[in-house]
Amino acid sequence: IADTVKEEVLPQDEQDFDIELQKFAASVEATEGHKQRRIALLSKLSRVLQTNFPEEDIELTTFGSTESNLALRRSDVDICIQTHSRTSKLQTTCQLARLLHEEGLVNIVCIPRARVPIVKAWDPSLGIACDINLNNSLAKTNTAMIKACVEYDARIRPMALLIKHWAKCRKFNGTKGKGVLSSYTITCMLLNYLQLTDPPILPSMVALQQNDYCKPKVQLNEKSIGSLFIGFFEYYGYRFEYESYVISVKQGYLLSKKTKVWDSDQNNILCVEEPFNNMRNLANTANEMEVMGLRLEFQRAYQILKRSRDHAGLVETFREF
Ligand code: CTP
Ligand code: MG
């Protein structure tokens, strides 16, 4: 009977490293306390909106890591306010900034002229940061896609948490418009790497949508989390050809920069296509020097982890810059 059941068993050292990685991921993910504070912030905002716009149907939703189940202890809350009416009295992020100020929030930064205007703020009583936008429906759609990908295979979530945490520790993750890459962009880079591994762990987004974001019946790739995690750093450190290709989670493969006519723009050194708007390069925030630095960071992580697939290796990889 035993012969008929042929399940691949990972070698002991790989199993140990996977356990270590999962423990590490659990130590950086948002706790129940963080979740409670997020909920408290949402009720506070909801009350503010109701008090100031009692006649209106204003909807408050979260997106980003709060929704995709990728929230870290140090994540902010991404909030979308939908006004549902052209004649709404709430028209600008600056108006919103004023209301937040009156409510006692601090460090308020209003970015009205960004592609998506946002207000950033810190709530000192709850100890939580938020990014709020008005009427940005794309963010909800692409968050649903990230969520579906994270749920597709159990190995993806710990890897995504760790890679986002790594980007923050090594200081090249900033929020929209600031810093080298957003968490969202680096998550898309991870997803595309998993689409390109052989056999693929994740199908293209087009295929995922056609199957209504369903999970596979059989997963052909049985690699350990550890080997995939190290492979990610090796791939973007040494193998991915930054000069020639565009990362496309939508297609699940690489597109040519030339064909897309993305090869002559100074802002397109690293190219990561927004899955729901293929004219947008999510990585246009990184200049040539920054992409070079990023590549060295991938190489650094790979070299450390190749040597020491253990707790000490992880501590060194995530060392704050
Ligand atoms: N987003 C986007 N375009 C970008 C960056 C972000 O559309 N260039 C949207 C996406 O919907 C994404 C959300 O904003 O899911 C949040 O982005 P970000 O904060 O970078 O990702 P999180 O997973 O929330 O990361 P963190 O936990 O670090 O906040
Ligand atoms: Mg976020």
Side-chain angles (χ1 to χ4, degrees):
I1 294 163
D3 277 355
T4 60
V5 185
K6 271 197 181 157
E7 213 170 79
E8 286 283 334
V9 177
L10 293 171
Q12 190 58 46
D13 58 337
E14 288 207 35
Q15 284 185 40
D16 291 346
F17 188 44
D18 273 18
I19 291 168
E20 202 55 64
L21 279 165
Q22 275 168 320
K23 269 201 239 160
F24 225 103
S27 74
V28 298
E29 74 178 317
T31 60
E32 199 46 48
H34 290 91
K35 288 177 198 161
Q36 292 307 327
R37 281 185 271 158
R38 286 197 307 244
I39 293 168
L41 177 65
L42 281 172
S43 352
K44 187 186 272 193
L45 289 176
S46 172
R47 181 177 42 74
V48 169
L49 292 173
Q50 249 160 28
T51 313
N52 286 278
F53 309 98
E55 315 279 281
E56 290 192 39
D57 168 27
I58 296 180
E59 197 187 344
L60 201 62
T61 48
T62 51
F63 63 99
S65 56
T66 312
E67 284 304 304
S68 60
N69 196 17
L70 289 181
L72 301 171
R73 288 168 193 209
R74 54 210 282 188
S75 292
D76 52 10
V77 194
D78 299 293
I79 297 169
C80 172
I81 296 179
Q82 279 175 298
T83 53
H84 296 300
S85 153
R86 277 178 180 278
T87 54
S88 168
K89 292 208 177 86
L90 178 57
Q91 287 289 342
T92 67
T93 45
C94 293
Q95 249 178 307
L96 195 59
R98 219 170 17 247
L99 296 177
L100 297 178
H101 173 71
E102 284 164 12
E103 196 56 35
L105 273 76
V106 296
N107 297 351
I108 299 172
V109 182
C110 198
I111 314 175
R113 269 175 284 279
R115 185 186 47 78
V116 175
I118 57 166
V119 188
K120 304 168 85 59
W122 169 256
D123 185 328
S125 64
L126 291 170
I128 196 166
C130 59
D131 274 15
I132 309 177
N133 74 54
L134 279 174
N135 301 314
N136 176 22
S137 55
L138 173 76
K140 280 172 104 176
T141 310
N142 58 23
T143 295
M145 185 263 314
I146 297 284
K147 184 167 192 271
C149 291
V150 168
E151 285 169 358
Y152 192 84
D153 185 290
R155 290 167 289 187
I156 301 179
R157 183 168 181 266
M159 277 193 278
L161 286 170
L162 289 173
I163 284 160
K164 280 174 49 174
H165 176 65
W166 170 74
K168 287 180 203 286
C169 291
R170 303 301 297 171
K171 302 280 185 293
F172 54 80
N173 159 247
T175 35
K176 290 129 257 177
K178 241 177 77 199
V180 177
L181 289 185
S182 71
S183 292
Y184 174 58
T185 309
I186 200 150
T187 305
C188 286
M189 291 172 73
L190 169 69
L191 297 179
N192 192 238
Y193 158 74
L194 296 173
Q195 290 171 325
L196 292 169
T197 41
D198 184 26
I201 299 239
L202 189 69
S204 73
M205 197 200 72
V206 173
L208 259 178
Q209 279 184 311
Q210 275 165 359
N211 283 319
D212 218 9
Y213 289 145
C214 279
K215 284 190 193 193
K217 292 204 171 53
V218 271
Q219 177 60 274
L220 295 173
N221 188 319
E222 294 184 334
K223 284 188 188 143
S224 65
I225 302 174
S227 65
L228 291 166
F229 186 64
I230 297 173
F232 167 81
F233 293 111
E234 184 194 20
Y235 178 71
Y236 285 112
Y238 298 99
R239 294 198 284 127
F240 176 63
E241 292 173 42
Y242 290 71
E243 314 72 36
S244 316
Y245 293 105
V246 175
I247 293 163
S248 174
V249 174
K250 180 178 182 178
Q251 304 301 340
Y253 49 78
L254 299 173
L255 308 174
S256 141
K257 268 195 192 179
K258 235 196 196 119
T259 316
K260 237 179 129 69
V261 204
W262 274 13
D263 54 338
S264 54
D265 191 328
Q266 279 298 302
N267 297 320
N268 289 342
I269 308 294
L270 167 60
C271 293
V272 183
E273 184 191 68
E274 158 57 46
F276 295 89
N277 175 358
N278 60 11
M279 297 305 290
R280 242 185 81 203
N281 176 16
L282 295 172
N284 66 4
T285 41
N287 65 30
E288 196 166 357
M289 285 299 282
E290 288 167 333
V291 174
M292 201 185 286
L294 198 61
R295 215 162 161 168
L296 292 173
E297 279 292 333
F298 284 119
Q299 295 181 3
R300 170 188 175 273
Y302 173 66
Q303 292 301 334
I304 295 169
L305 292 171
K306 188 177 71 164
R307 276 198 316 270
S308 34
R309 296 175 188 230
D310 52 22
H311 183 76
L314 290 175
V315 170
E316 179 61 10
T317 304
F318 292 103
R319 189 161 47 82
E320 294 275 344
F321 189 67

Short mmCIF file of all heavy atoms in Angstrom, two decimals, residues 122-149:
data_model
loop_
_atom_site.label_atom_id
_atom_site.label_comp_id
_atom_site.label_asym_id
_atom_site.label_seq_id
_atom_site.Cartn_x
_atom_site.Cartn_y
_atom_site.Cartn_z
N TRP A 122 -1.35 60.52 10.69
CA TRP A 122 -0.99 59.63 11.80
C TRP A 122 -1.97 59.90 12.92
O TRP A 122 -2.24 61.06 13.26
CB TRP A 122 0.44 59.94 12.22
CG TRP A 122 0.87 59.29 13.51
CD1 TRP A 122 1.00 59.89 14.72
CD2 TRP A 122 1.25 57.91 13.71
NE1 TRP A 122 1.43 58.98 15.66
CE2 TRP A 122 1.59 57.76 15.07
CE3 TRP A 122 1.32 56.78 12.85
CZ2 TRP A 122 2.00 56.53 15.60
CZ3 TRP A 122 1.74 55.57 13.38
CH2 TRP A 122 2.07 55.46 14.75
N ASP A 123 -2.54 58.82 13.47
CA ASP A 123 -3.44 58.99 14.59
C ASP A 123 -2.67 58.68 15.88
O ASP A 123 -2.38 57.51 16.16
CB ASP A 123 -4.63 58.03 14.44
CG ASP A 123 -5.68 58.25 15.52
OD1 ASP A 123 -5.28 58.63 16.65
OD2 ASP A 123 -6.87 58.05 15.25
N PRO A 124 -2.32 59.71 16.66
CA PRO A 124 -1.49 59.47 17.84
C PRO A 124 -2.22 58.71 18.95
O PRO A 124 -1.58 57.97 19.70
CB PRO A 124 -1.11 60.88 18.31
CG PRO A 124 -2.11 61.79 17.70
CD PRO A 124 -2.68 61.13 16.49
N SER A 125 -3.54 58.83 19.00
CA SER A 125 -4.23 58.13 20.08
C SER A 125 -4.31 56.62 19.80
O SER A 125 -4.30 55.80 20.71
CB SER A 125 -5.63 58.71 20.30
OG SER A 125 -6.42 58.50 19.17
N LEU A 126 -4.35 56.24 18.53
CA LEU A 126 -4.40 54.81 18.20
C LEU A 126 -3.02 54.26 17.81
O LEU A 126 -2.81 53.05 17.77
CB LEU A 126 -5.38 54.58 17.04
CG LEU A 126 -6.86 54.80 17.35
CD1 LEU A 126 -7.69 54.79 16.08
CD2 LEU A 126 -7.36 53.72 18.31
N GLY A 127 -2.10 55.18 17.49
CA GLY A 127 -0.77 54.74 17.06
C GLY A 127 -0.82 54.04 15.72
O GLY A 127 -0.31 52.93 15.55
N ILE A 128 -1.45 54.70 14.77
CA ILE A 128 -1.62 54.06 13.46
C ILE A 128 -1.59 55.11 12.35
O ILE A 128 -2.06 56.23 12.55
CB ILE A 128 -2.93 53.23 13.46
CG1 ILE A 128 -2.95 52.26 12.29
CG2 ILE A 128 -4.16 54.09 13.44
CD1 ILE A 128 -4.01 51.20 12.43
N ALA A 129 -1.01 54.75 11.21
CA ALA A 129 -0.92 55.67 10.08
C ALA A 129 -1.93 55.27 9.01
O ALA A 129 -2.27 54.09 8.89
CB ALA A 129 0.47 55.64 9.49
N CYS A 130 -2.40 56.26 8.26
CA CYS A 130 -3.31 55.91 7.17
C CYS A 130 -3.03 56.74 5.92
O CYS A 130 -2.46 57.82 5.99
CB CYS A 130 -4.76 56.10 7.61
SG CYS A 130 -5.15 57.77 8.13
N ASP A 131 -3.41 56.17 4.80
CA ASP A 131 -3.38 56.84 3.50
C ASP A 131 -4.82 56.84 3.01
O ASP A 131 -5.41 55.77 2.88
CB ASP A 131 -2.59 56.00 2.48
CG ASP A 131 -1.11 56.25 2.54
OD1 ASP A 131 -0.66 56.85 3.52
OD2 ASP A 131 -0.42 55.84 1.59
N ILE A 132 -5.37 58.01 2.76
CA ILE A 132 -6.77 58.04 2.35
C ILE A 132 -6.90 58.65 0.96
O ILE A 132 -6.31 59.70 0.67
CB ILE A 132 -7.61 58.89 3.34
CG1 ILE A 132 -7.33 58.42 4.77
CG2 ILE A 132 -9.10 58.78 3.03
CD1 ILE A 132 -8.05 59.23 5.84
N ASN A 133 -7.65 58.00 0.09
CA ASN A 133 -7.92 58.60 -1.23
C ASN A 133 -9.41 58.75 -1.43
O ASN A 133 -10.22 58.20 -0.68
CB ASN A 133 -7.29 57.77 -2.35
CG ASN A 133 -8.04 56.48 -2.62
OD1 ASN A 133 -9.25 56.47 -2.85
ND2 ASN A 133 -7.34 55.37 -2.58
N LEU A 134 -9.74 59.55 -2.44
CA LEU A 134 -11.15 59.75 -2.76
C LEU A 134 -11.47 59.07 -4.09
O LEU A 134 -10.81 59.35 -5.09
CB LEU A 134 -11.42 61.26 -2.93
CG LEU A 134 -11.64 62.10 -1.68
CD1 LEU A 134 -11.75 63.57 -2.05
CD2 LEU A 134 -12.89 61.65 -0.95
N ASN A 135 -12.41 58.17 -4.07
CA ASN A 135 -12.94 57.59 -5.31
C ASN A 135 -11.92 56.91 -6.23
O ASN A 135 -11.97 57.07 -7.44
CB ASN A 135 -13.69 58.66 -6.12
CG ASN A 135 -14.83 59.25 -5.33
OD1 ASN A 135 -15.61 58.52 -4.72
ND2 ASN A 135 -14.92 60.57 -5.30
N ASN A 136 -11.02 56.14 -5.68
CA ASN A 136 -10.07 55.41 -6.54
C ASN A 136 -10.48 53.94 -6.62
O ASN A 136 -10.12 53.12 -5.79
CB ASN A 136 -8.65 55.55 -5.97
CG ASN A 136 -7.63 54.75 -6.75
OD1 ASN A 136 -7.85 54.43 -7.92
ND2 ASN A 136 -6.51 54.43 -6.13
N SER A 137 -11.24 53.62 -7.68
CA SER A 137 -11.77 52.25 -7.75
C SER A 137 -10.74 51.24 -8.24
O SER A 137 -10.84 50.04 -7.94
CB SER A 137 -13.01 52.22 -8.63
OG SER A 137 -12.68 52.76 -9.88
N LEU A 138 -9.73 51.70 -8.98
CA LEU A 138 -8.70 50.78 -9.46
C LEU A 138 -8.03 50.04 -8.29
O LEU A 138 -7.76 48.85 -8.36
CB LEU A 138 -7.63 51.54 -10.28
CG LEU A 138 -6.41 50.70 -10.69
CD1 LEU A 138 -6.75 49.79 -11.85
CD2 LEU A 138 -5.22 51.57 -11.05
N ALA A 139 -7.81 50.77 -7.21
CA ALA A 139 -7.11 50.19 -6.06
C ALA A 139 -7.88 49.02 -5.47
O ALA A 139 -7.29 48.06 -4.99
CB ALA A 139 -6.86 51.26 -5.02
N LYS A 140 -9.19 49.10 -5.52
CA LYS A 140 -9.99 47.99 -4.98
C LYS A 140 -9.87 46.78 -5.88
O LYS A 140 -9.77 45.64 -5.42
CB LYS A 140 -11.47 48.41 -4.88
CG LYS A 140 -11.75 49.25 -3.67
CD LYS A 140 -13.14 49.80 -3.70
CE LYS A 140 -14.06 49.06 -2.77
NZ LYS A 140 -15.40 49.69 -2.76
N THR A 141 -9.87 47.04 -7.19
CA THR A 141 -9.77 45.94 -8.15
C THR A 141 -8.41 45.24 -8.05
O THR A 141 -8.34 44.01 -7.99
CB THR A 141 -9.94 46.51 -9.59
OG1 THR A 141 -11.10 47.32 -9.59
CG2 THR A 141 -10.05 45.42 -10.60
N ASN A 142 -7.32 46.03 -8.01
CA ASN A 142 -6.03 45.34 -7.97
C ASN A 142 -5.75 44.72 -6.60
O ASN A 142 -5.04 43.72 -6.50
CB ASN A 142 -4.88 46.20 -8.53
CG ASN A 142 -4.68 47.51 -7.83
OD1 ASN A 142 -5.07 47.67 -6.69
ND2 ASN A 142 -4.03 48.45 -8.51
N THR A 143 -6.36 45.25 -5.57
CA THR A 143 -6.23 44.60 -4.25
C THR A 143 -6.91 43.23 -4.27
O THR A 143 -6.38 42.26 -3.71
CB THR A 143 -6.85 45.49 -3.15
OG1 THR A 143 -6.09 46.69 -3.04
CG2 THR A 143 -6.83 44.79 -1.80
N ALA A 144 -8.06 43.14 -4.93
CA ALA A 144 -8.77 41.85 -5.02
C ALA A 144 -7.90 40.83 -5.74
O ALA A 144 -7.88 39.63 -5.39
CB ALA A 144 -10.11 42.03 -5.73
N MET A 145 -7.16 41.30 -6.74
CA MET A 145 -6.28 40.40 -7.48
C MET A 145 -5.15 39.90 -6.58
O MET A 145 -4.86 38.70 -6.52
CB MET A 145 -5.71 41.18 -8.68
CG MET A 145 -4.88 40.40 -9.64
SD MET A 145 -3.08 40.45 -9.48
CE MET A 145 -2.63 42.13 -9.25
N ILE A 146 -4.55 40.81 -5.81
CA ILE A 146 -3.47 40.41 -4.89
C ILE A 146 -4.01 39.39 -3.88
O ILE A 146 -3.38 38.37 -3.61
CB ILE A 146 -2.89 41.64 -4.13
CG1 ILE A 146 -2.25 42.65 -5.09
CG2 ILE A 146 -1.89 41.21 -3.05
CD1 ILE A 146 -0.91 42.27 -5.65
N LYS A 147 -5.19 39.66 -3.38
CA LYS A 147 -5.80 38.76 -2.40
C LYS A 147 -5.98 37.36 -3.00
O LYS A 147 -5.65 36.36 -2.36
CB LYS A 147 -7.15 39.35 -1.98
CG LYS A 147 -7.86 38.60 -0.89
CD LYS A 147 -9.02 39.45 -0.36
CE LYS A 147 -9.59 38.88 0.92
NZ LYS A 147 -10.65 37.93 0.70
N ALA A 148 -6.49 37.32 -4.22
CA ALA A 148 -6.71 36.03 -4.87
C ALA A 148 -5.39 35.29 -5.07
O ALA A 148 -5.31 34.07 -4.89
CB ALA A 148 -7.40 36.24 -6.21
N CYS A 149 -4.35 36.02 -5.43
CA CYS A 149 -3.03 35.39 -5.63
C CYS A 149 -2.50 34.85 -4.31
O CYS A 149 -1.95 33.75 -4.25
CB CYS A 149 -2.03 36.39 -6.22
SG CYS A 149 -2.40 36.84 -7.91
#
